[in-house]
Amino acid sequence: MSKLSKLKSIKHRGFFAIISLILAAQVSAVAEPLIPFEAEYRAYKWDDDIGTAALKLEKLSKNQYSLTYSSDVSKFFLSDKRYEHSIFTFEDGQFIPSQYYYSRSGTGADKKLKLKFVEQPERQILVNESSALDWKAELDNQLYRIDLPRQIAAGKKSLTYDFINYRGEPKTYQIDVVGTETLSLPYGELSTIKVEIVRQSSTRETYAWFAPELDHNLVRLQQFKDDDEQGDIKLTSYSRLN
């Protein structure tokens, strides 16, 4: 692969990494129960249709849930396919991660990660069953996707999120509500709340929109780096699950 092709590949993959990890939460309690749902999105780059993404929350038992994320995008000779799966407990407004799995294939090196959050005999996070991290209340790379809508619904304007990312590294992001906006999406017209993901020492600009009428869930995500749009996902369908 040429140097230019490699550079384009890195930029192309960067946005879909952020879809997979924008946030993960140091969660404060919100009383409302979780609402299982399924959402599908189209992915664009400068208005070109480049693929799909999907998010699904399912209830497994009284307090145990499954959250999956998938994306499959391609543009010219570049491709990126991702899958994430979280098993967690939700009780008294708190998220307790149990297991997290990540895989990525396509242009460039394939990658996999498996995390297990262990309470006993000491709190730690097992990484690929070969190493361990101290567990300091971090969540996995996904749980923001169901915490942030709850926090927005509760009126929160600024949040700090601590998590273990898809590389198995501790990360922190600041999330700020910046206003409201009416969007015309493939799903239809929606009134939304817009947030900005703020990072230290980064040239990326990332914005996300959440719709109160769809249980405050994510309906659009857009990212730029050095004024170049890396990607833009927009909601196409949304349904509650029984």
Side-chain angles (χ1 to χ4, degrees), residues 10-22:
I10 291 170
K11 288 184 176 181
H12 181 75
R13 296 201 303 269
F15 173 69
F16 299 98
I18 199 63
I19 297 176
S20 299
L21 62 79
I22 324 172

Side-chain angles (χ1 to χ4, degrees), residues 2-241:
S2 68
K3 183 176 181 181
L4 178 59
S5 296
K6 289 181 179 179
L7 180 59
K8 289 181 177 179
S9 175
I10 291 170
K11 288 184 176 181
H12 181 75
R13 296 201 303 269
F15 173 69
F16 299 98
I18 199 63
I19 297 176
S20 299
L21 62 79
I22 324 172
L23 329 150
Q26 181 87 22
V27 186
S28 59
V30 181
E32 291 79 6
L34 291 182
I35 300 173
F37 70 92
E38 185 170 16
E40 297 181 347
Y41 307 84
R42 295 300 306 182
Y44 302 88
K45 182 175 173 64
W46 295 122
D47 294 326
D48 289 338
D49 188 334
I50 59 174
T52 61
L55 189 62
K56 187 176 184 179
L57 173 65
E58 300 174 277
K59 189 171 185 177
L60 302 179
S61 62
K62 181 180 179 181
N63 296 315
Q64 189 177 56
Y65 293 81
S66 166
L67 180 66
T68 57
Y69 166 83
S70 61
S71 64
D72 190 352
V73 300
S74 62
K75 186 175 177 64
F76 303 124
F77 54 86
L78 304 176
S79 66
D80 188 292
K81 188 173 183 177
R82 295 176 187 242
Y83 177 78
E84 293 178 80
H85 187 193
S86 299
I87 302 294
F88 66 96
T89 298
F90 180 74
E91 191 171 6
D92 298 328
Q94 299 294 319
F95 293 86
I96 304 172
S98 176
Q99 297 182 55
Y100 168 81
Y101 174 78
Y102 165 84
S103 67
R104 185 264 168 202
S105 61
T107 306
D110 293 351
K111 296 181 179 180
K112 292 184 178 181
L113 176 71
K114 183 178 180 181
L115 301 179
K116 186 174 182 179
F117 295 78
V118 179
E119 295 274 4
Q120 299 293 337
E122 58 182 330
R123 288 174 61 85
Q124 59 181 344
I125 304 168
L126 303 181
V127 182
N128 292 328
E129 300 180 347
S130 61
S131 61
L133 300 170
D134 290 338
W135 185 10
K136 301 175 181 178
E138 300 97 340
L139 298 187
D140 71 27
N141 192 57
Q142 280 217 104
L143 295 184
Y144 81 90
R145 298 189 179 106
I146 45 174
D147 175 66
L148 185 58
R150 296 165 60 78
Q151 302 299 336
I152 291 174
K156 299 294 179 63
K157 302 298 183 183
S158 184
L159 297 159
T160 299
Y161 288 85
D162 298 316
F163 62 99
I164 305 298
N165 71 4
Y166 68 97
R167 294 188 178 97
E169 303 166 338
K171 292 290 182 180
T172 299
Y173 288 121
Q174 176 73 31
I175 312 300
D176 295 325
V177 173
V178 297
T180 59
E181 189 173 341
T182 299
L183 297 181
S184 294
L185 303 170
Y187 177 87
E189 188 171 284
L190 290 169
S191 297
T192 67
I193 299 170
K194 182 179 180 180
V195 308
E196 181 179 6
I197 294 88
V198 181
R199 306 174 189 79
Q200 294 181 345
S201 303
S202 176
T203 59
R204 289 189 178 93
E205 296 178 72
T206 306
Y207 300 94
W209 290 259
F210 299 84
E213 67 184 86
L214 300 181
D215 304 313
H216 284 83
N217 279 306
L218 178 74
V219 297
R220 184 184 181 188
L221 177 71
Q222 186 178 36
Q223 179 169 287
F224 298 88
K225 183 177 181 181
D226 300 323
D227 296 324
D228 178 37
E229 184 183 72
Q230 292 189 300
D232 188 359
I233 67 166
K234 299 178 181 181
L235 186 74
T236 59
S237 68
Y238 178 86
S239 58
R240 286 187 172 187
L241 302 176

